[in-house]
Short mmCIF file of all heavy atoms in Angstrom, two decimals:
data_model
loop_
_atom_site.label_atom_id
_atom_site.label_comp_id
_atom_site.label_asym_id
_atom_site.label_seq_id
_atom_site.Cartn_x
_atom_site.Cartn_y
_atom_site.Cartn_z
N PHE A 161 87.02 125.03 116.31
CA PHE A 161 86.73 126.02 117.31
C PHE A 161 87.73 125.91 118.45
O PHE A 161 88.43 124.92 118.58
CB PHE A 161 85.30 125.94 117.83
CG PHE A 161 84.86 124.57 118.27
CD1 PHE A 161 85.20 124.07 119.52
CD2 PHE A 161 84.11 123.77 117.44
CE1 PHE A 161 84.79 122.84 119.93
CE2 PHE A 161 83.70 122.52 117.83
CZ PHE A 161 84.03 122.06 119.08
N ARG A 162 87.76 126.89 119.28
CA ARG A 162 88.69 126.93 120.41
C ARG A 162 88.20 126.04 121.55
O ARG A 162 87.11 125.48 121.51
CB ARG A 162 88.85 128.36 120.88
CG ARG A 162 89.50 129.23 119.84
CD ARG A 162 89.97 130.53 120.49
NE ARG A 162 90.67 131.32 119.53
CZ ARG A 162 91.99 131.24 119.31
NH1 ARG A 162 92.72 130.40 119.96
NH2 ARG A 162 92.55 132.03 118.43
N PHE A 163 89.01 125.95 122.59
CA PHE A 163 88.70 125.13 123.75
C PHE A 163 87.32 125.45 124.31
O PHE A 163 86.92 126.61 124.39
CB PHE A 163 89.75 125.36 124.84
CG PHE A 163 89.46 124.61 126.10
CD1 PHE A 163 89.78 123.27 126.21
CD2 PHE A 163 88.83 125.24 127.16
CE1 PHE A 163 89.50 122.57 127.37
CE2 PHE A 163 88.56 124.54 128.33
CZ PHE A 163 88.88 123.21 128.42
N LYS A 164 86.61 124.39 124.70
CA LYS A 164 85.32 124.52 125.37
C LYS A 164 85.36 123.64 126.60
O LYS A 164 85.98 122.58 126.60
CB LYS A 164 84.18 124.09 124.46
CG LYS A 164 84.03 124.95 123.22
CD LYS A 164 82.90 124.46 122.38
CE LYS A 164 81.62 125.06 122.92
NZ LYS A 164 80.48 124.88 122.03
N ASP A 165 84.66 124.03 127.64
CA ASP A 165 84.60 123.22 128.85
C ASP A 165 83.92 121.88 128.61
O ASP A 165 84.27 120.88 129.22
CB ASP A 165 83.87 123.96 129.97
CG ASP A 165 84.69 125.10 130.53
OD1 ASP A 165 85.93 125.01 130.50
OD2 ASP A 165 84.08 126.08 131.00
N SER A 166 82.95 121.85 127.73
CA SER A 166 82.23 120.62 127.44
C SER A 166 81.88 120.56 125.96
O SER A 166 81.48 121.55 125.36
CB SER A 166 80.94 120.57 128.26
OG SER A 166 80.17 119.46 127.88
N LEU A 167 82.01 119.37 125.41
CA LEU A 167 81.62 119.15 124.02
C LEU A 167 80.33 118.34 123.92
O LEU A 167 79.96 117.88 122.85
CB LEU A 167 82.73 118.40 123.28
CG LEU A 167 84.04 119.17 123.11
CD1 LEU A 167 85.08 118.28 122.46
CD2 LEU A 167 83.81 120.41 122.28
N ALA A 168 79.63 118.18 125.03
CA ALA A 168 78.44 117.32 125.07
C ALA A 168 77.41 117.71 124.01
O ALA A 168 76.88 116.84 123.31
CB ALA A 168 77.82 117.36 126.46
N GLU A 169 77.14 118.98 123.86
CA GLU A 169 76.14 119.44 122.89
C GLU A 169 76.58 119.13 121.46
O GLU A 169 75.80 118.64 120.64
CB GLU A 169 75.89 120.93 123.06
CG GLU A 169 74.75 121.47 122.21
CD GLU A 169 74.48 122.94 122.50
OE1 GLU A 169 74.47 123.34 123.68
OE2 GLU A 169 74.31 123.68 121.52
N GLU A 170 77.85 119.40 121.15
CA GLU A 170 78.36 119.14 119.81
C GLU A 170 78.38 117.64 119.52
O GLU A 170 78.05 117.20 118.42
CB GLU A 170 79.76 119.73 119.64
CG GLU A 170 79.79 121.23 119.47
CD GLU A 170 79.61 122.00 120.77
OE1 GLU A 170 79.61 121.37 121.85
OE2 GLU A 170 79.43 123.23 120.71
N LEU A 171 78.80 116.84 120.52
CA LEU A 171 78.82 115.39 120.33
C LEU A 171 77.43 114.84 120.08
O LEU A 171 77.24 113.94 119.25
CB LEU A 171 79.44 114.70 121.54
CG LEU A 171 80.94 114.83 121.70
CD1 LEU A 171 81.38 114.22 123.03
CD2 LEU A 171 81.68 114.19 120.55
N GLN A 172 76.45 115.35 120.79
CA GLN A 172 75.08 114.87 120.64
C GLN A 172 74.57 115.08 119.22
O GLN A 172 73.88 114.22 118.67
CB GLN A 172 74.16 115.58 121.63
CG GLN A 172 72.81 114.95 121.77
CD GLN A 172 72.88 113.52 122.28
OE1 GLN A 172 73.67 113.19 123.16
NE2 GLN A 172 72.06 112.65 121.73
N SER A 173 74.93 116.18 118.60
CA SER A 173 74.41 116.49 117.26
C SER A 173 75.32 116.00 116.13
O SER A 173 74.94 116.08 114.97
CB SER A 173 74.17 118.00 117.12
OG SER A 173 75.39 118.70 117.21
N ALA A 174 76.49 115.47 116.46
CA ALA A 174 77.45 115.06 115.43
C ALA A 174 77.05 113.74 114.77
O ALA A 174 76.51 112.84 115.41
CB ALA A 174 78.84 114.91 116.04
N ASP A 175 77.35 113.63 113.48
CA ASP A 175 77.19 112.37 112.75
C ASP A 175 78.50 111.59 112.75
O ASP A 175 78.51 110.38 112.63
CB ASP A 175 76.77 112.63 111.30
CG ASP A 175 75.37 113.22 111.21
OD1 ASP A 175 74.49 112.81 111.99
OD2 ASP A 175 75.17 114.13 110.39
N LEU A 176 79.61 112.30 112.85
CA LEU A 176 80.95 111.72 112.83
C LEU A 176 81.86 112.66 113.63
O LEU A 176 81.73 113.88 113.52
CB LEU A 176 81.47 111.62 111.39
CG LEU A 176 82.95 111.26 111.21
CD1 LEU A 176 83.21 109.82 111.63
CD2 LEU A 176 83.38 111.47 109.77
N VAL A 177 82.78 112.08 114.39
CA VAL A 177 83.71 112.89 115.17
C VAL A 177 85.13 112.57 114.72
O VAL A 177 85.50 111.40 114.58
CB VAL A 177 83.56 112.62 116.68
CG1 VAL A 177 84.61 113.39 117.48
CG2 VAL A 177 82.16 112.97 117.16
N ILE A 178 85.90 113.62 114.47
CA ILE A 178 87.33 113.50 114.17
C ILE A 178 88.03 114.20 115.32
O ILE A 178 87.75 115.37 115.60
CB ILE A 178 87.69 114.14 112.82
CG1 ILE A 178 86.90 113.45 111.70
CG2 ILE A 178 89.20 114.05 112.57
CD1 ILE A 178 87.00 114.14 110.36
N SER A 179 88.94 113.48 115.99
CA SER A 179 89.53 113.98 117.22
C SER A 179 90.98 113.56 117.32
O SER A 179 91.44 112.69 116.59
CB SER A 179 88.75 113.40 118.40
OG SER A 179 89.32 113.76 119.64
N HIS A 180 91.68 114.15 118.27
CA HIS A 180 92.98 113.61 118.64
C HIS A 180 92.70 112.32 119.42
O HIS A 180 91.55 112.01 119.74
CB HIS A 180 93.79 114.63 119.45
CG HIS A 180 93.33 114.82 120.85
ND1 HIS A 180 94.19 114.87 121.90
CD2 HIS A 180 92.09 114.97 121.38
CE1 HIS A 180 93.52 115.04 123.02
NE2 HIS A 180 92.24 115.11 122.73
N ALA A 181 93.71 111.57 119.73
CA ALA A 181 93.51 110.27 120.36
C ALA A 181 93.69 110.33 121.87
O ALA A 181 94.19 109.40 122.49
CB ALA A 181 94.46 109.23 119.75
N GLY A 182 93.27 111.41 122.48
CA GLY A 182 93.29 111.50 123.94
C GLY A 182 92.23 110.60 124.54
O GLY A 182 91.13 110.46 123.98
N ALA A 183 92.52 109.98 125.65
CA ALA A 183 91.61 109.01 126.25
C ALA A 183 90.25 109.63 126.56
O ALA A 183 89.21 109.03 126.26
CB ALA A 183 92.24 108.43 127.51
N GLY A 184 90.23 110.81 127.15
CA GLY A 184 88.96 111.44 127.50
C GLY A 184 88.11 111.73 126.28
O GLY A 184 86.91 111.47 126.28
N SER A 185 88.72 112.25 125.24
CA SER A 185 87.99 112.56 124.02
C SER A 185 87.44 111.30 123.37
O SER A 185 86.28 111.28 122.93
CB SER A 185 88.91 113.29 123.02
OG SER A 185 89.37 114.49 123.57
N CYS A 186 88.25 110.26 123.32
CA CYS A 186 87.81 109.00 122.72
C CYS A 186 86.66 108.40 123.50
O CYS A 186 85.63 108.03 122.93
CB CYS A 186 88.96 108.00 122.65
SG CYS A 186 90.25 108.41 121.48
N LEU A 187 86.81 108.29 124.80
CA LEU A 187 85.79 107.63 125.62
C LEU A 187 84.49 108.42 125.63
O LEU A 187 83.41 107.82 125.54
CB LEU A 187 86.32 107.40 127.03
CG LEU A 187 87.49 106.43 127.11
CD1 LEU A 187 87.99 106.32 128.55
CD2 LEU A 187 87.13 105.06 126.56
N GLU A 188 84.57 109.72 125.72
CA GLU A 188 83.35 110.53 125.72
C GLU A 188 82.59 110.37 124.40
O GLU A 188 81.37 110.24 124.39
CB GLU A 188 83.68 112.01 125.97
CG GLU A 188 82.46 112.88 126.11
CD GLU A 188 82.79 114.32 126.45
OE1 GLU A 188 83.98 114.69 126.52
OE2 GLU A 188 81.83 115.09 126.65
N THR A 189 83.31 110.35 123.30
CA THR A 189 82.69 110.19 121.99
C THR A 189 82.07 108.80 121.84
O THR A 189 80.93 108.66 121.39
CB THR A 189 83.73 110.42 120.87
OG1 THR A 189 84.25 111.74 121.00
CG2 THR A 189 83.11 110.26 119.50
N LEU A 190 82.81 107.77 122.22
CA LEU A 190 82.30 106.41 122.10
C LEU A 190 81.11 106.16 123.02
O LEU A 190 80.19 105.43 122.65
CB LEU A 190 83.43 105.42 122.36
CG LEU A 190 84.55 105.44 121.32
CD1 LEU A 190 85.71 104.57 121.76
CD2 LEU A 190 84.03 105.04 119.94
N GLU A 191 81.10 106.78 124.20
CA GLU A 191 79.95 106.65 125.10
C GLU A 191 78.68 107.21 124.48
O GLU A 191 77.58 106.75 124.78
CB GLU A 191 80.22 107.37 126.42
CG GLU A 191 81.17 106.62 127.32
CD GLU A 191 81.58 107.40 128.56
OE1 GLU A 191 81.22 108.60 128.67
OE2 GLU A 191 82.26 106.82 129.41
N LYS A 192 78.83 108.19 123.61
CA LYS A 192 77.68 108.77 122.91
C LYS A 192 77.27 107.94 121.70
O LYS A 192 76.30 108.24 121.03
CB LYS A 192 77.98 110.20 122.44
CG LYS A 192 78.31 111.17 123.53
CD LYS A 192 77.08 111.65 124.23
CE LYS A 192 77.46 112.78 125.18
NZ LYS A 192 76.57 112.88 126.29
N GLY A 193 78.06 106.89 121.39
CA GLY A 193 77.73 106.03 120.26
C GLY A 193 78.03 106.63 118.90
O GLY A 193 77.44 106.23 117.91
N LYS A 194 78.95 107.57 118.86
CA LYS A 194 79.26 108.26 117.60
C LYS A 194 80.45 107.59 116.91
O LYS A 194 81.41 107.18 117.57
CB LYS A 194 79.60 109.73 117.86
CG LYS A 194 78.50 110.50 118.55
CD LYS A 194 77.24 110.55 117.71
CE LYS A 194 76.14 111.32 118.42
NZ LYS A 194 75.00 111.59 117.55
N PRO A 195 80.43 107.50 115.58
CA PRO A 195 81.61 107.01 114.86
C PRO A 195 82.77 107.97 115.08
O PRO A 195 82.58 109.18 115.13
CB PRO A 195 81.18 106.98 113.39
CG PRO A 195 79.80 107.49 113.32
CD PRO A 195 79.35 107.86 114.69
N LEU A 196 83.98 107.39 115.19
CA LEU A 196 85.13 108.20 115.58
C LEU A 196 86.35 107.87 114.74
O LEU A 196 86.70 106.70 114.55
CB LEU A 196 85.45 107.92 117.06
CG LEU A 196 86.68 108.58 117.66
CD1 LEU A 196 86.58 110.10 117.60
CD2 LEU A 196 86.85 108.12 119.11
N ILE A 197 86.97 108.92 114.23
CA ILE A 197 88.27 108.84 113.57
C ILE A 197 89.24 109.63 114.44
O ILE A 197 88.95 110.78 114.79
CB ILE A 197 88.24 109.44 112.15
CG1 ILE A 197 87.27 108.65 111.27
CG2 ILE A 197 89.65 109.47 111.54
CD1 ILE A 197 87.02 109.28 109.92
N VAL A 198 90.34 109.01 114.82
CA VAL A 198 91.31 109.72 115.64
C VAL A 198 92.60 109.97 114.85
O VAL A 198 93.03 109.13 114.07
CB VAL A 198 91.62 108.99 116.96
CG1 VAL A 198 90.41 109.00 117.86
CG2 VAL A 198 92.09 107.59 116.75
N VAL A 199 93.16 111.14 115.05
CA VAL A 199 94.42 111.54 114.45
C VAL A 199 95.45 111.59 115.56
O VAL A 199 95.29 112.34 116.53
CB VAL A 199 94.31 112.91 113.74
CG1 VAL A 199 95.63 113.30 113.11
CG2 VAL A 199 93.18 112.89 112.71
N ILE A 200 96.47 110.80 115.43
CA ILE A 200 97.45 110.63 116.50
C ILE A 200 98.48 111.75 116.49
O ILE A 200 99.01 112.10 115.44
CB ILE A 200 98.16 109.28 116.32
CG1 ILE A 200 97.11 108.23 116.53
CG2 ILE A 200 99.33 109.11 117.25
CD1 ILE A 200 97.29 106.94 116.03
N ASN A 201 98.73 112.28 117.67
CA ASN A 201 99.83 113.22 117.87
C ASN A 201 100.99 112.39 118.42
O ASN A 201 101.04 112.11 119.61
CB ASN A 201 99.43 114.33 118.84
CG ASN A 201 100.52 115.34 119.04
OD1 ASN A 201 101.68 115.10 118.70
ND2 ASN A 201 100.17 116.48 119.59
N ASP A 202 101.90 111.99 117.56
CA ASP A 202 102.97 111.07 117.96
C ASP A 202 104.12 111.75 118.71
O ASP A 202 105.10 111.11 119.05
CB ASP A 202 103.49 110.28 116.77
CG ASP A 202 104.00 111.16 115.64
OD1 ASP A 202 104.09 112.40 115.82
OD2 ASP A 202 104.32 110.61 114.58
N LYS A 203 103.97 113.03 119.00
CA LYS A 203 105.02 113.74 119.73
C LYS A 203 104.74 113.83 121.23
O LYS A 203 105.50 114.41 121.98
CB LYS A 203 105.19 115.13 119.14
CG LYS A 203 105.71 115.08 117.70
CD LYS A 203 105.88 116.45 117.14
CE LYS A 203 106.40 116.50 115.74
NZ LYS A 203 106.21 115.39 114.87
N LEU A 204 103.63 113.26 121.67
CA LEU A 204 103.25 113.37 123.08
C LEU A 204 103.63 112.12 123.87
O LEU A 204 103.35 111.00 123.45
CB LEU A 204 101.74 113.57 123.21
CG LEU A 204 101.18 114.88 122.69
CD1 LEU A 204 99.66 114.89 122.83
CD2 LEU A 204 101.78 116.05 123.43
N MET A 205 104.22 112.30 125.01
CA MET A 205 104.46 111.29 126.03
C MET A 205 104.65 109.87 125.49
O MET A 205 103.80 109.01 125.64
CB MET A 205 103.34 111.29 127.06
CG MET A 205 103.25 112.61 127.78
SD MET A 205 102.12 112.72 129.18
CE MET A 205 100.69 111.84 128.74
N ASN A 206 105.76 109.65 124.84
CA ASN A 206 106.12 108.31 124.35
C ASN A 206 105.07 107.70 123.43
O ASN A 206 104.86 106.50 123.42
CB ASN A 206 106.41 107.36 125.52
CG ASN A 206 107.58 107.83 126.34
OD1 ASN A 206 108.53 108.40 125.81
ND2 ASN A 206 107.51 107.63 127.63
N ASN A 207 104.41 108.56 122.67
CA ASN A 207 103.46 108.10 121.66
C ASN A 207 102.31 107.29 122.26
O ASN A 207 101.82 106.33 121.67
CB ASN A 207 104.18 107.31 120.58
CG ASN A 207 103.49 107.40 119.25
OD1 ASN A 207 102.56 108.16 119.06
ND2 ASN A 207 103.92 106.60 118.31
N HIS A 208 101.82 107.67 123.44
CA HIS A 208 100.75 106.93 124.09
C HIS A 208 99.44 106.96 123.31
O HIS A 208 98.64 106.04 123.43
CB HIS A 208 100.52 107.46 125.52
CG HIS A 208 99.85 108.79 125.56
ND1 HIS A 208 100.51 109.96 125.24
CD2 HIS A 208 98.58 109.13 125.87
CE1 HIS A 208 99.67 110.97 125.36
NE2 HIS A 208 98.49 110.50 125.75
N GLN A 209 99.21 107.99 122.51
CA GLN A 209 97.98 108.05 121.73
C GLN A 209 97.91 106.90 120.72
O GLN A 209 96.83 106.37 120.47
CB GLN A 209 97.83 109.40 121.03
CG GLN A 209 97.51 110.52 121.97
CD GLN A 209 97.14 111.80 121.25
OE1 GLN A 209 97.02 111.85 120.02
NE2 GLN A 209 96.93 112.85 122.01
N LEU A 210 99.06 106.52 120.17
CA LEU A 210 99.07 105.42 119.22
C LEU A 210 98.65 104.12 119.90
O LEU A 210 97.87 103.34 119.34
CB LEU A 210 100.45 105.26 118.59
CG LEU A 210 100.60 104.12 117.59
CD1 LEU A 210 99.63 104.26 116.43
CD2 LEU A 210 102.03 104.05 117.08
N GLU A 211 99.14 103.89 121.10
CA GLU A 211 98.77 102.66 121.83
C GLU A 211 97.25 102.60 122.03
O GLU A 211 96.63 101.56 121.79
CB GLU A 211 99.46 102.62 123.19
CG GLU A 211 100.96 102.46 123.11
CD GLU A 211 101.59 102.52 124.49
OE1 GLU A 211 101.01 101.92 125.43
OE2 GLU A 211 102.63 103.17 124.62
N LEU A 212 96.66 103.69 122.47
CA LEU A 212 95.22 103.72 122.69
C LEU A 212 94.47 103.53 121.38
O LEU A 212 93.53 102.74 121.30
CB LEU A 212 94.81 105.03 123.35
CG LEU A 212 93.30 105.21 123.57
CD1 LEU A 212 92.74 104.13 124.48
CD2 LEU A 212 93.01 106.60 124.11
N ALA A 213 94.87 104.24 120.34
CA ALA A 213 94.19 104.16 119.06
C ALA A 213 94.26 102.74 118.48
O ALA A 213 93.26 102.23 117.97
CB ALA A 213 94.80 105.15 118.07
N LYS A 214 95.41 102.10 118.59
CA LYS A 214 95.54 100.74 118.07
C LYS A 214 94.60 99.79 118.82
O LYS A 214 93.95 98.95 118.20
CB LYS A 214 96.98 100.24 118.20
CG LYS A 214 97.90 100.76 117.14
CD LYS A 214 99.28 100.13 117.30
CE LYS A 214 100.19 100.51 116.17
NZ LYS A 214 101.51 99.89 116.30
N GLN A 215 94.53 99.92 120.14
CA GLN A 215 93.65 99.02 120.90
C GLN A 215 92.18 99.27 120.57
O GLN A 215 91.42 98.34 120.38
CB GLN A 215 93.89 99.17 122.40
CG GLN A 215 93.10 98.18 123.22
CD GLN A 215 93.42 96.74 122.88
OE1 GLN A 215 94.58 96.34 122.90
NE2 GLN A 215 92.40 95.96 122.54
N LEU A 216 91.79 100.54 120.50
CA LEU A 216 90.40 100.84 120.15
C LEU A 216 90.07 100.37 118.74
O LEU A 216 88.95 99.94 118.47
CB LEU A 216 90.13 102.34 120.31
CG LEU A 216 90.13 102.86 121.75
CD1 LEU A 216 90.00 104.38 121.76
CD2 LEU A 216 89.02 102.22 122.57
N HIS A 217 91.04 100.43 117.85
CA HIS A 217 90.84 99.92 116.49
C HIS A 217 90.68 98.40 116.50
O HIS A 217 89.78 97.85 115.85
CB HIS A 217 92.01 100.33 115.59
CG HIS A 217 91.90 99.82 114.20
ND1 HIS A 217 91.00 100.34 113.29
CD2 HIS A 217 92.55 98.83 113.56
CE1 HIS A 217 91.11 99.69 112.15
NE2 HIS A 217 92.04 98.76 112.30
N ARG A 218 91.53 97.71 117.25
CA ARG A 218 91.40 96.25 117.37
C ARG A 218 90.05 95.85 117.94
O ARG A 218 89.48 94.83 117.57
CB ARG A 218 92.52 95.68 118.24
CG ARG A 218 93.86 95.57 117.54
CD ARG A 218 94.87 94.75 118.36
NE ARG A 218 95.27 95.41 119.59
CZ ARG A 218 96.33 96.20 119.70
NH1 ARG A 218 97.13 96.42 118.67
NH2 ARG A 218 96.62 96.77 120.85
N ASP A 219 89.53 96.69 118.83
CA ASP A 219 88.23 96.43 119.43
C ASP A 219 87.07 96.83 118.52
O ASP A 219 85.90 96.66 118.88
CB ASP A 219 88.09 97.19 120.75
CG ASP A 219 89.05 96.67 121.83
OD1 ASP A 219 89.58 95.54 121.68
OD2 ASP A 219 89.27 97.41 122.81
N GLY A 220 87.39 97.38 117.35
CA GLY A 220 86.37 97.75 116.37
C GLY A 220 85.67 99.06 116.68
O GLY A 220 84.57 99.31 116.18
N CYS A 221 86.31 99.92 117.45
CA CYS A 221 85.66 101.17 117.89
C CYS A 221 86.03 102.40 117.07
O CYS A 221 85.23 103.34 117.00
CB CYS A 221 86.03 101.44 119.35
SG CYS A 221 85.48 100.18 120.48
N VAL A 222 87.24 102.43 116.50
CA VAL A 222 87.70 103.64 115.82
C VAL A 222 88.49 103.29 114.56
O VAL A 222 88.97 102.16 114.41
CB VAL A 222 88.60 104.53 116.71
CG1 VAL A 222 87.93 104.90 118.00
CG2 VAL A 222 89.93 103.89 116.97
N LEU A 223 88.63 104.28 113.72
CA LEU A 223 89.64 104.27 112.66
C LEU A 223 90.67 105.30 113.10
O LEU A 223 90.33 106.28 113.77
CB LEU A 223 89.04 104.68 111.32
CG LEU A 223 87.98 103.74 110.75
CD1 LEU A 223 87.40 104.33 109.47
CD2 LEU A 223 88.56 102.36 110.51
N TYR A 224 91.93 105.09 112.73
CA TYR A 224 92.95 106.07 113.15
C TYR A 224 93.93 106.32 112.05
O TYR A 224 94.09 105.52 111.12
CB TYR A 224 93.65 105.62 114.44
CG TYR A 224 94.59 104.44 114.28
CD1 TYR A 224 95.95 104.62 114.03
CD2 TYR A 224 94.12 103.13 114.39
CE1 TYR A 224 96.81 103.55 113.90
CE2 TYR A 224 94.97 102.05 114.26
CZ TYR A 224 96.31 102.27 114.02
OH TYR A 224 97.15 101.20 113.88
N CYS A 225 94.61 107.45 112.15
CA CYS A 225 95.66 107.84 111.21
C CYS A 225 96.59 108.79 111.94
O CYS A 225 96.36 109.17 113.08
CB CYS A 225 95.07 108.51 109.98
SG CYS A 225 94.26 110.08 110.31
N ASN A 226 97.67 109.16 111.28
CA ASN A 226 98.53 110.21 111.80
C ASN A 226 98.67 111.27 110.73
O ASN A 226 98.18 111.11 109.62
CB ASN A 226 99.90 109.67 112.27
CG ASN A 226 100.66 108.99 111.17
OD1 ASN A 226 100.36 109.17 109.98
ND2 ASN A 226 101.65 108.21 111.52
N CYS A 227 99.31 112.36 111.08
CA CYS A 227 99.48 113.44 110.11
C CYS A 227 100.49 113.01 109.09
O CYS A 227 100.61 113.34 108.06
CB CYS A 227 99.92 114.71 110.80
SG CYS A 227 98.66 115.37 111.89
#
C-alpha cells in the first residue's frame, strides 16, 4: 500500500512484518513485539541500513537480506 501517516493498526494485527531497514520502522515494529524481516536498501546514505540490520540481527531481533 501507499504511504500512511501511521502503521499502528496494521502492526497490531500483523503476524510478521517485512520492512525496509529504516530505524523508525524497525523500532516501531520491535516495540510491538512483532517478528521482523528487513530488506536493506544499500543505495541510501553510505549503506546505513546494513549497519542497523546487522546490529539488530546480532541482538537477535531481526532477520535481514538485500535485494
Side-chain angles (χ1 to χ4, degrees):
F161 51 81
R162 295 195 176 271
F163 177 81
K164 296 180 85 168
D165 288 331
S166 173
L167 293 176
E169 186 176 316
E170 285 77 9
L171 287 174
Q172 193 62 39
S173 64
D175 293 321
L176 170 69
V177 176
I178 301 171
S179 176
H180 74 135
S185 299
C186 290
L187 295 177
E188 185 176 4
T189 301
L190 295 172
E191 285 173 353
K192 299 281 188 207
K194 301 298 180 170
L196 176 60
I197 298 172
V198 293
V199 180
I200 295 159
N201 182 344
D202 57 7
K203 295 180 179 25
L204 293 178
M205 298 188 320
N206 298 325
N207 208 9
H208 73 286
Q209 288 190 5
L210 179 59
E211 293 176 42
L212 177 61
K214 281 184 174 181
Q215 185 59 54
L216 291 174
H217 178 73
R218 282 191 292 267
D219 294 343
C221 298
V222 304
L223 296 176
Y224 71 93
C225 65
N226 60 16
C227 293

